[in-house]
Amino acid sequence: MKLARFPRRRYTPAPTPIHPLSRLSAHLGGPEIWIKRDDLTGLAGGGNKTRKLEFLVADALASGADTLVTVGAVQSNHCRLTLAAAAAEGLKCRLVLEQRVPGSYRPDASGNNFLFDLLGAEAIRVVEGGADLGGEMDKLAADLITEGRRAYIIPGGGSTPLGALGYVVCAREILAQCMEQTLAFDAIVTASGSAGTHAGLLVGLTGAQAGTPLIGINVRRPRAEQEANVLRLAADTAAALGLPAPTASAVEALGDWVGPGYSLPTDEMIEAVKLFARTEGILLDPVYTGKAAAGLLGLIRQGRFSKTDRVLFVHTGGAPSLFAYQSTLAS
Ligand SMILES: *Cc1c(COP(=O)(O)O)cnc(C)c1O
C-alpha cells in the first residue's frame, strides 16, 4: 500500500494507548471491553480529527496556502483541531459554522465555541443548517484571494480520501498493537459521522485482511444513508492507496442511537457518559462518543457479543464539548 508516499505532518508523538476497561466490563458482566485512546492524540484537546489533519495540513502546506478554511457544527471538534493545527504551523484559519440545530449558535457558548476564539479564529461565518457549505467556504477563499492570500479548503470533518488516510494509519496501529500485546479483537466499535474515521478504519482493516468486524454507530444519519456514505468514501480511499474497494457487506453503520437528531441528547447517551466517567474515569462527549458508547451498551444488551468476546471501543475524543452541555449532564 502506498500510505508512506503521502506527505504527512506528525501531531501525536507515539501510538495512542490500547487498554482494557476492566471495571466497566465487570459492571456489565462481559464482554471484555478495551479502548483505543484516540482522545489522547496531539493538538489542543485531541480527538480523531488530529489524524486526518496530519495528511490534510501536509497537503495544504505543499499547496503554498497561508490559511485553512473549514466547516463544522457550532460545537465542532474538527474546527477546534483545525485551528490548533493552523496555529502550530503558522497558518491562519477561518470557519464556516453550520447551525444543524436551528438557532444553536451562541457567540458566548462554552466548550469548543470558546476555544475557537482562544485558538485565534480569524473569521467565523455562521450559516443555517442545510446551507451550501462548499459555496460558503468558496466565498471565504475568494475573500482571501482579494487580499493576496491563498486558502486551503478542508471539507466537513476532514472526511476526504486524504483525511481518511489518518484512520488507515490508525487501523494499522491497532493491528501492530494487537501483535505486540498478543491480542485479538472480535469486533471494533466506532462513532460514524462524516464517515472518514469509519471508512479509513475499514480500508486499513480490510487492506490487511484483518477479518475483524467493524461496527459504526451513527450520530446523524439513518443506517442506509450512512452505509452508502461510508462505502463511497472507503472506495475512494482504497483507490488512492491502490487497494481494492471494501465490499458493501463489510459496512455496518447502525442508526438506532442517533435519537432525535445530531447533537441532541438521548437518555442512552447520558447513561453512557456517566457510566464511563464513574467506572473508568474516562470522559466521553455528548455528540459522538456518548452515542457510540450508548450503541455499544445497546448491542451488549441485545446479545450481539458473547461474554468472553473482546470488543475494542475507539474513543474518538470530543470531551471539550462537555462544557457546553452542563445542564444536560449535571446530576
Ligand atoms: C468528528 C467526530 C467523530 C466522527 O468522526 P467522522 O470521521 O466524522 O465520522 C467522532 N467523534 C468525535 C469526538 C468527533 O469529533
Side-chain angles (χ1 to χ4, degrees):
M1 128 167 36
K2 299 181 193 154
L3 200 50
R5 294 193 192 180
F6 288 87
R8 179 180 171 200
R9 302 291 295 159
R10 299 301 288 263
Y11 299 135
T12 308
T16 60
I18 285 184
H19 61 82
L21 298 181
S22 312
R23 288 177 44 76
L24 177 65
S25 304
H27 174 87
L28 296 168
E32 198 179 290
I33 303 169
W34 290 60
I35 193 164
K36 172 68 170 165
R37 298 298 301 273
D38 264 26
D39 56 323
L40 302 180
T41 54
L43 298 175
N48 62 343
K49 306 310 180 304
T50 297
R51 288 191 189 266
K52 303 176 183 184
L53 288 163
E54 291 192 338
F55 288 97
L56 293 164
V57 175
D59 193 45
L61 292 169
S63 78
D66 51 46
T67 307
L68 303 178
V69 172
T70 198
V71 61
V74 298
Q75 280 292 335
S76 169
N77 300 300
H78 167 68
C79 288
R80 161 177 46 89
L81 289 165
T82 303
L83 282 159
E89 300 287 7
L91 303 171
K92 302 283 187 207
C93 181
R94 297 187 176 193
L95 303 178
V96 173
L97 295 184
E98 183 192 15
Q99 296 189 85
R100 289 180 195 164
V101 177
S104 55
Y105 179 71
R106 285 208 347 259
D108 63 341
S110 183
N112 284 314
N113 179 73
F114 159 63
L115 299 177
F116 299 160
D117 175 57
L118 187 66
L119 290 163
E122 194 181 38
I124 293 179
R125 183 180 175 87
V126 181
V127 301
E128 294 308 312
D132 171 13
L133 302 175
E136 297 292 342
M137 287 193 288
D138 287 345
K139 277 186 218 162
L140 291 185
D143 291 348
L144 287 164
I145 290 171
T146 65
E147 296 167 30
R149 289 168 51 182
R150 189 192 285 217
Y152 182 90
I153 293 177
I154 300 179
S159 285
T160 63
L162 197 57
L165 294 182
Y167 271 83
V168 179
V169 170
C170 181
R172 294 169 65 97
E173 195 175 292
I174 290 168
L175 294 173
Q177 287 170 307
C178 285
M179 187 71 87
E180 264 163 41
Q181 301 181 37
T182 323
L183 262 178
F185 290 108
D186 299 292
I188 300 178
V189 175
T190 182
S192 195
S194 64
T197 303
H198 190 164
L201 286 172
L202 184 66
V203 169
L205 292 170
T206 55
Q209 296 179 312
T212 312
L214 176 64
I215 305 169
I217 308 291
N218 301 348
V219 298
R220 187 174 183 193
R221 295 190 167 81
R223 176 171 186 165
E225 201 182 315
Q226 183 68 2
E227 289 183 346
N229 288 347
V230 172
L231 186 62
R232 197 177 322 113
L233 182 55
D236 292 347
T237 306
L241 292 168
L243 291 171
T247 59
S249 62
V251 179
E252 183 175 15
L254 303 175
D256 303 329
W257 290 277
V258 176
Y262 174 82
S263 79
L264 298 174
T266 61
D267 290 344
E268 293 89 342
M269 175 279 287
I270 293 169
E271 182 205 3
V273 170
K274 290 185 175 171
L275 189 62
F276 272 64
R278 294 171 188 183
T279 59
E280 295 286 352
I282 289 177
L283 297 178
L284 302 178
D285 81 286
V287 181
Y288 296 96
T289 54
K291 286 187 178 172
L296 172 64
L297 298 178
L299 289 172
I300 291 169
R301 288 172 187 149
Q302 289 171 13
R304 169 77 185 248
F305 310 110
S306 82
K307 297 284 173 207
T308 54
D309 272 357
R310 256 190 206 150
V311 180
L312 182 68
F313 179 74
V314 182
H315 190 335
T316 47
S321 83
L322 280 171
F323 301 101
Y325 286 83
Q326 188 176 349
S327 60
T328 302
L329 290 160
S331 305

